PDB file of all heavy atoms in Angstrom:
ATOM      1  N   THR B   5     103.874 270.614 -26.006  1.00 97.00           N
ATOM      2  CA  THR B   5     104.343 270.780 -27.390  1.00 97.00           C
ATOM      3  C   THR B   5     103.401 271.710 -28.174  1.00 97.00           C
ATOM      4  O   THR B   5     102.198 271.607 -28.203  1.00 97.00           O
ATOM      5  CB  THR B   5     104.301 269.342 -28.136  1.00 97.00           C
ATOM      6  OG1 THR B   5     105.089 268.449 -27.444  1.00 97.00           O
ATOM      7  CG2 THR B   5     104.837 269.541 -29.482  1.00 97.00           C
ATOM      8  N   GLN B   6     104.032 272.730 -28.728  1.00 97.00           N
ATOM      9  CA  GLN B   6     103.325 273.666 -29.642  1.00 97.00           C
ATOM     10  C   GLN B   6     104.139 273.560 -31.029  1.00 97.00           C
ATOM     11  O   GLN B   6     105.252 273.844 -31.100  1.00 97.00           O
ATOM     12  CB  GLN B   6     103.452 275.107 -29.009  1.00 97.00           C
ATOM     13  CG  GLN B   6     102.838 275.339 -27.742  1.00 97.00           C
ATOM     14  CD  GLN B   6     102.885 276.724 -27.285  1.00 97.00           C
ATOM     15  OE1 GLN B   6     103.627 276.903 -26.269  1.00 97.00           O
ATOM     16  NE2 GLN B   6     102.226 277.662 -27.988  1.00 97.00           N
ATOM     17  N   THR B   7     103.435 272.903 -31.902  1.00 96.00           N
ATOM     18  CA  THR B   7     104.060 272.542 -33.124  1.00 96.00           C
ATOM     19  C   THR B   7     104.134 273.718 -34.255  1.00 96.00           C
ATOM     20  O   THR B   7     104.796 273.529 -35.300  1.00 96.00           O
ATOM     21  CB  THR B   7     103.259 271.445 -33.873  1.00 96.00           C
ATOM     22  OG1 THR B   7     101.867 271.818 -33.985  1.00 96.00           O
ATOM     23  CG2 THR B   7     103.319 270.230 -32.899  1.00 96.00           C
ATOM     24  N   GLN B   8     103.438 274.790 -33.980  1.00 95.00           N
ATOM     25  CA  GLN B   8     103.491 275.910 -34.931  1.00 95.00           C
ATOM     26  C   GLN B   8     104.437 276.908 -34.410  1.00 95.00           C
ATOM     27  O   GLN B   8     104.004 277.756 -33.516  1.00 95.00           O
ATOM     28  CB  GLN B   8     102.058 276.562 -35.004  1.00 95.00           C
ATOM     29  CG  GLN B   8     101.019 275.589 -35.420  1.00 95.00           C
ATOM     30  CD  GLN B   8      99.605 276.011 -34.875  1.00 95.00           C
ATOM     31  OE1 GLN B   8      99.455 276.370 -33.626  1.00 95.00           O
ATOM     32  NE2 GLN B   8      98.652 276.102 -35.631  1.00 95.00           N
ATOM     33  N   PRO B   9     105.668 277.106 -35.007  1.00 93.00           N
ATOM     34  CA  PRO B   9     106.605 278.094 -34.495  1.00 93.00           C
ATOM     35  C   PRO B   9     106.130 279.510 -34.874  1.00 93.00           C
ATOM     36  O   PRO B   9     106.343 280.496 -34.173  1.00 93.00           O
ATOM     37  CB  PRO B   9     107.794 277.839 -35.235  1.00 93.00           C
ATOM     38  CG  PRO B   9     107.410 276.910 -36.375  1.00 93.00           C
ATOM     39  CD  PRO B   9     106.163 276.165 -36.038  1.00 93.00           C
ATOM     40  N   GLY B  10     105.286 279.692 -35.955  1.00 95.00           N
ATOM     41  CA  GLY B  10     104.890 280.966 -36.363  1.00 95.00           C
ATOM     42  C   GLY B  10     103.664 280.892 -37.331  1.00 95.00           C
ATOM     43  O   GLY B  10     103.571 279.929 -38.130  1.00 95.00           O
ATOM     44  N   MET B  11     102.838 281.927 -37.338  1.00 94.00           N
ATOM     45  CA  MET B  11     101.823 281.940 -38.182  1.00 94.00           C
ATOM     46  C   MET B  11     101.315 283.370 -38.489  1.00 94.00           C
ATOM     47  O   MET B  11     101.354 284.301 -37.599  1.00 94.00           O
ATOM     48  CB  MET B  11     100.582 281.045 -37.808  1.00 94.00           C
ATOM     49  CG  MET B  11     100.172 281.293 -36.436  1.00 94.00           C
ATOM     50  SD  MET B  11      99.201 279.892 -35.812  1.00 94.00           S
ATOM     51  CE  MET B  11      98.059 279.629 -37.119  1.00 94.00           C
ATOM     52  N   PHE B  12     100.796 283.628 -39.706  1.00 96.00           N
ATOM     53  CA  PHE B  12     100.205 284.782 -40.013  1.00 96.00           C
ATOM     54  C   PHE B  12      98.686 284.640 -40.040  1.00 96.00           C
ATOM     55  O   PHE B  12      98.101 283.562 -40.243  1.00 96.00           O
ATOM     56  CB  PHE B  12     100.507 285.199 -41.398  1.00 96.00           C
ATOM     57  CG  PHE B  12     102.016 285.630 -41.653  1.00 96.00           C
ATOM     58  CD1 PHE B  12     102.985 284.768 -42.153  1.00 96.00           C
ATOM     59  CD2 PHE B  12     102.349 286.937 -41.236  1.00 96.00           C
ATOM     60  CE1 PHE B  12     104.092 285.216 -42.203  1.00 96.00           C
ATOM     61  CE2 PHE B  12     103.613 287.313 -41.375  1.00 96.00           C
ATOM     62  CZ  PHE B  12     104.666 286.495 -41.873  1.00 96.00           C
ATOM     63  N   VAL B  13      97.872 285.672 -39.602  1.00 97.00           N
ATOM     64  CA  VAL B  13      96.526 285.711 -39.698  1.00 97.00           C
ATOM     65  C   VAL B  13      95.979 287.023 -40.150  1.00 97.00           C
ATOM     66  O   VAL B  13      96.559 288.064 -39.791  1.00 97.00           O
ATOM     67  CB  VAL B  13      95.904 285.249 -38.257  1.00 97.00           C
ATOM     68  CG1 VAL B  13      96.359 286.366 -37.196  1.00 97.00           C
ATOM     69  CG2 VAL B  13      94.469 285.187 -38.324  1.00 97.00           C
ATOM     70  N   GLN B  14      94.916 287.039 -40.834  1.00 97.00           N
ATOM     71  CA  GLN B  14      94.318 288.288 -41.363  1.00 97.00           C
ATOM     72  C   GLN B  14      93.493 288.895 -40.233  1.00 97.00           C
ATOM     73  O   GLN B  14      92.852 288.198 -39.475  1.00 97.00           O
ATOM     74  CB  GLN B  14      93.517 287.889 -42.601  1.00 97.00           C
ATOM     75  CG  GLN B  14      93.189 289.156 -43.447  1.00 97.00           C
ATOM     76  CD  GLN B  14      94.438 289.650 -44.189  1.00 97.00           C
ATOM     77  OE1 GLN B  14      95.352 288.822 -44.647  1.00 97.00           O
ATOM     78  NE2 GLN B  14      94.635 290.920 -44.268  1.00 97.00           N
ATOM     79  N   GLU B  15      93.695 290.192 -40.136  1.00 97.00           N
ATOM     80  CA  GLU B  15      92.855 290.974 -39.225  1.00 97.00           C
ATOM     81  C   GLU B  15      91.390 290.569 -39.347  1.00 97.00           C
ATOM     82  O   GLU B  15      90.836 290.421 -40.394  1.00 97.00           O
ATOM     83  CB  GLU B  15      92.934 292.517 -39.487  1.00 97.00           C
ATOM     84  CG  GLU B  15      92.485 293.407 -38.255  1.00 97.00           C
ATOM     85  CD  GLU B  15      92.734 294.835 -38.572  1.00 97.00           C
ATOM     86  OE1 GLU B  15      93.210 295.132 -39.684  1.00 97.00           O
ATOM     87  OE2 GLU B  15      92.558 295.708 -37.708  1.00 97.00           O
ATOM     88  N   LYS B  16      90.718 290.409 -38.146  1.00 97.00           N
ATOM     89  CA  LYS B  16      89.319 290.074 -38.078  1.00 97.00           C
ATOM     90  C   LYS B  16      89.012 288.720 -38.266  1.00 97.00           C
ATOM     91  O   LYS B  16      87.868 288.293 -38.139  1.00 97.00           O
ATOM     92  CB  LYS B  16      88.483 291.037 -39.083  1.00 97.00           C
ATOM     93  CG  LYS B  16      88.540 292.504 -38.720  1.00 97.00           C
ATOM     94  CD  LYS B  16      87.592 293.236 -39.649  1.00 97.00           C
ATOM     95  CE  LYS B  16      87.832 294.737 -39.395  1.00 97.00           C
ATOM     96  NZ  LYS B  16      87.115 295.549 -40.312  1.00 97.00           N
ATOM     97  N   GLU B  17      89.956 287.864 -38.640  1.00 97.00           N
ATOM     98  CA  GLU B  17      89.773 286.386 -38.849  1.00 97.00           C
ATOM     99  C   GLU B  17      90.073 285.603 -37.543  1.00 97.00           C
ATOM    100  O   GLU B  17      90.857 286.274 -36.538  1.00 97.00           O
ATOM    101  CB  GLU B  17      90.620 285.961 -40.024  1.00 97.00           C
ATOM    102  CG  GLU B  17      90.081 286.317 -41.325  1.00 97.00           C
ATOM    103  CD  GLU B  17      90.939 285.691 -42.473  1.00 97.00           C
ATOM    104  OE1 GLU B  17      91.908 284.994 -42.132  1.00 97.00           O
ATOM    105  OE2 GLU B  17      90.484 285.688 -43.552  1.00 97.00           O
ATOM    106  N   ALA B  18      89.667 284.477 -37.406  1.00 97.00           N
ATOM    107  CA  ALA B  18      89.884 283.603 -36.230  1.00 97.00           C
ATOM    108  C   ALA B  18      91.256 282.818 -36.455  1.00 97.00           C
ATOM    109  O   ALA B  18      91.558 282.547 -37.608  1.00 97.00           O
ATOM    110  CB  ALA B  18      88.750 282.681 -35.911  1.00 97.00           C
TER     111      ALA B  18
END
Side-chain angles (χ1 to χ4, degrees):
Chain B
T5 303
Q6 295 179 252
T7 57
Q8 307 151 308
M11 56 197 308
F12 289 96
V13 60
Q14 202 66 41
E15 191 178 11
K16 300 180 184 177
E17 290 186 349

